Amino acid sequence: MSGHVPAPLIDSVPDYWAAPPTEHHEAARSTEQLTGRPGRPFRRWAADHLDLFR
């Protein structure tokens, strides 16, 4: 992975996984501003596209 990802980013991943953010309001607003549609949780997106994973 270090051949493709900067070391500081690799080092920060365990910290992120230890305490992931609980609020995603800003991301949802950004998604809507970029796509014109409200954002949706990954679980919903994955369920809507389940056939792509089979």
Side-chain angles (χ1 to χ4, degrees):
M1 193 162 135
S2 63
H4 304 284
V5 180
L9 181 57
I10 293 171
D11 294 340
S12 70
V13 170
D15 292 334
Y16 176 82
W17 285 342
T22 58
E23 299 292 325
H24 301 285
H25 299 286
E26 187 61 38
R29 278 185 250 123
S30 297
T31 299
E32 189 168 3
Q33 290 171 348
L34 291 169
T35 65
R37 298 184 307 252
R40 55 190 164 161
F42 176 76
R43 183 181 300 262
R44 172 69 188 270
W45 177 88
D48 290 348
H49 294 90
L50 189 59
D51 288 338
L52 297 173
F53 297 98
R54 294 185 179 163

